[in-house]
Amino acid sequence: MTRLGWDEYFMAITKVVAERSTCCRRRIGALIIYDRRILTTGYNGAPSGLRHCTDIGCLREERGIASGERHELCRGMHAEQNAIIQAASSGVSIRGGTLYTTHFPCVMCAKMIINAKIARVVFDADYPDRLGQELLAEAGLQVKRLGEAGAEE
């Protein structure tokens, strides 16, 4: 029997978190861990107490906005944003942690990840936002696509 590595284990949990998403376009999950302990989770969807896109439709679809563009024209919060905000609202430090996400972070999330002092990002699928990639690289964050060689936490 093969035992999952830590990255595969946490990514599997991240994919389950994504199943809570209320986005009509893409289900994304995020998980922040430190010292192999789950600190917070997040999935993409409308802010707390607001109507979900799955209930009222997708503003981005209605306006013909391409994926990876005009992030501000969306009712939803991104999974990474929700995980970081959850930590802040609960008083949990995520400094030095690892963020697992089902898709590579967009530029808005990349900036939040950098300022939150997250040390490492592990992702499973690409997202069409080159600037997010450039910023994480410039900030010196360790970024790993699941399945690529690299140290596991």
Side-chain angles (χ1 to χ4, degrees):
M1 181 160 102
T2 304
R3 186 176 185 196
L4 287 177
W6 287 109
D7 284 342
E8 290 78 16
Y9 169 74
F10 287 122
M11 187 58 72
I13 296 170
T14 303
K15 290 177 180 180
V16 170
V17 171
E19 293 300 314
R20 290 277 307 154
S21 170
T22 59
C23 177
C24 300
R25 284 186 162 191
R26 179 179 284 140
R27 291 181 160 206
I28 298 180
L31 181 77
I32 301 175
I33 66 107
Y34 185 83
D35 195 26
R36 297 184 181 155
R37 303 286 185 263
I38 297 171
L39 301 177
T40 64
T41 64
Y43 52 87
N44 55 333
S48 296
L50 300 186
R51 294 175 296 162
H52 297 287
C53 299
T54 51
D55 298 327
I56 64 170
C58 177
L59 179 65
R60 295 174 60 79
E61 285 294 326
E62 291 170 10
R63 295 187 180 183
I65 299 169
S67 185
E69 297 178 10
R70 303 292 313 266
H71 298 104
E72 76 280 8
L73 296 177
C74 180
R75 291 182 59 83
M77 299 285 299
H78 289 189
E80 301 92 332
Q81 293 169 337
N82 276 326
I84 291 168
I85 291 167
Q86 184 184 95
S89 67
S90 301
V92 174
S93 174
I94 55 177
R95 178 185 293 263
T98 295
L99 184 137
Y100 289 84
T101 181
T102 53
H103 293 73
F104 197 93
C106 74
V107 64
M108 292 186 334
C109 291
K111 291 185 281 187
M112 290 180 71
I113 290 164
I114 292 164
N115 278 357
K117 306 294 186 208
I118 289 171
R120 183 170 177 254
V121 174
V122 179
F123 70 102
D124 192 45
D126 286 325
Y127 184 76
D129 191 334
R130 184 168 302 284
L131 186 53
Q133 296 170 2
E134 292 171 7
L135 292 179
L136 291 179
E138 182 180 340
L141 267 78
Q142 182 184 10
V143 177
K144 176 185 174 187
R145 182 172 191 158
L146 198 64
E148 289 182 350
E152 287 195 6
E153 196 164 280

